[in-house]
């Protein structure tokens, strides 16, 4: 049987789950994208990690950045924090959470909250790759290195 | 929870666990990567802290 090239494998791959749906779900619910892509264990693990990180940030009364103009770095931090999706939106829009500037853990907590968002953004990218079968192709290439070029 | 070392350990642990689970599939490889990242983050943090020891800051800023 003739060996297939990497581009041939990429061309014939048909996603089982809509990659846009997987990415959107991954953003909205931490670990949700992986759960929808039948990586349930990892989905639950990522959900727990991100929620714990967010929870520590909130317990420290950390800063939840929420500014979309005039301050470029704060705007960037806002989009970073928004990376955690529904939890961040609920915190800000549902509970009006901002953090307490006078709290001892304001900056530390802000770091945890921002990191949770950024980690979830990585999960969005990973869910996209998995939906397009890149994870399986990487595993195939590792099994058969001659095909990886 | 104002202990700096505890917070740094928690942060390092969470980030290391995340990347270990994200980047590796085999349990053994995940554990190895977790330990590498965790020790790197903790060691790096402590090293930076000691470097800053030689450059002390001034009096704390007043709370607005």
């Amino acid at each position: 049987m003739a060996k297939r090239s990497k581009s041939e494998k990429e061309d014939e791959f048909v996603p089982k789950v809509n990659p846009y749906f997987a990415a959107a779900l991954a953003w909205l619910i931490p670990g949700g994208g992986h759960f929808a892509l039948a990586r349930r264990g990892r989905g639950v693990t990522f959900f727990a990690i991100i929620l714990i990180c967010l929870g520590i940030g909130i317990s420290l009364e950390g800063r939840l950045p929420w500014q979309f103009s005039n301050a470029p770095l704060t705007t960037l931090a806002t989009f970073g924090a928004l990376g955690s999706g529904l939890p961040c939106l609920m915190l800000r829009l549902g509970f009006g959470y901002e953090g307490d500037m006078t709290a001892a853990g304001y900056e530390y907590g802000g770091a945890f909250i921002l990191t949770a968002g950024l980690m979830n953004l990585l999960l969005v990218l990973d869910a996209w790759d998995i939906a397009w079968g890149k994870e399986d192709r990487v595993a195939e290439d590792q099994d058969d290195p001659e095909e990886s070029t | 929870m104002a202990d700096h070392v505890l917070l740094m350990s928690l942060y390092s642990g969470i980030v290391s666990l995340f990347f270990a689970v994200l980047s590796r599939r085999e349990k053994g490889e995940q554990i190895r990567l977790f330990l590498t990242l965790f020790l790197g983050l903790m060691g790096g943090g402590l090293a930076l802290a000691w470097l800053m020891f030689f450059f002390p800051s001034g009096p704390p800023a007043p709370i607005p």
Side-chain angles (χ1 to χ4, degrees), chain B residues 13-33:
Chain B
I14 287 170
V15 171
S16 303
L17 181 62
F18 175 82
F19 280 105
V21 175
L22 183 68
S23 310
R24 298 288 184 268
R25 301 288 174 265
E26 299 293 322
K27 211 57 144 191
E29 289 177 10
Q30 286 177 343
I31 291 171
R32 246 191 313 275
L33 182 60

Side-chain angles (χ1 to χ4, degrees), chain A residues 42 45-46 49 52-53 56 59-60 108 111-112 115 119 122-123 126 135, chain B residues 1-2 4 7 10-11 14-15 17-19 21-25 63-64:
Chain A
R42 297 176 77 209
T45 304
F46 287 134
I49 290 172
I52 286 171
C53 193
I56 293 172
S59 73
L60 292 168
Y108 275 116
F112 277 90
T115 300
M119 288 194 297
L122 283 177
L123 292 184
D126 195 49
E135 186 186 55
Chain B
M1 194 170 27
H4 290 220
L7 288 173
L10 274 172
Y11 187 88
I14 287 170
V15 171
L17 181 62
F18 175 82
F19 280 105
V21 175
L22 183 68
S23 310
R24 298 288 184 268
R25 301 288 174 265
I63 295 172

Side-chain angles (χ1 to χ4, degrees), chain A residues 68-88:
Chain A
F68 297 94
S69 62
N70 295 332
L73 289 179
T74 309
T75 304
L76 208 55
T78 303
F79 284 110
L82 273 171
S84 53
L86 202 57
C88 176

Side-chain angles (χ1 to χ4, degrees), chain A residues 6-136:
Chain A
K6 189 177 176 187
S7 58
E8 283 173 343
K9 284 185 236 177
E10 284 173 356
D11 289 341
E12 67 187 36
F13 181 80
V14 176
K16 294 190 183 78
V17 176
N18 186 324
Y20 293 95
F21 170 74
L25 190 63
W27 171 72
L28 200 63
I29 303 171
H34 289 74
F35 202 85
L37 290 162
R39 269 78 173 166
R40 295 195 167 87
R42 297 176 77 209
V44 170
T45 304
F46 287 134
F47 178 82
I49 290 172
I50 291 184
L51 267 284
I52 286 171
C53 193
L54 212 51
I56 293 172
I58 294 165
S59 73
L60 292 168
E61 298 179 283
R63 175 187 182 215
L64 178 61
W66 197 263
Q67 189 164 348
F68 297 94
S69 62
N70 295 332
L73 289 179
T74 309
T75 304
L76 208 55
T78 303
F79 284 110
L82 273 171
S84 53
L86 202 57
C88 176
L89 292 171
M90 277 171 56
L91 271 175
R92 181 66 193 200
L93 302 176
F95 299 105
Y97 178 85
E98 292 176 340
D100 181 1
M101 202 186 292
T102 60
Y106 184 64
E107 295 295 337
Y108 275 116
F112 277 90
I113 291 172
L114 183 57
T115 300
L118 294 175
M119 288 194 297
N120 200 46
L121 289 176
L122 283 177
L123 292 184
V124 170
L125 297 176
D126 195 49
W128 177 263
D129 283 344
I130 293 171
W132 279 110
K134 188 177 175 188
E135 186 186 55
D136 296 330

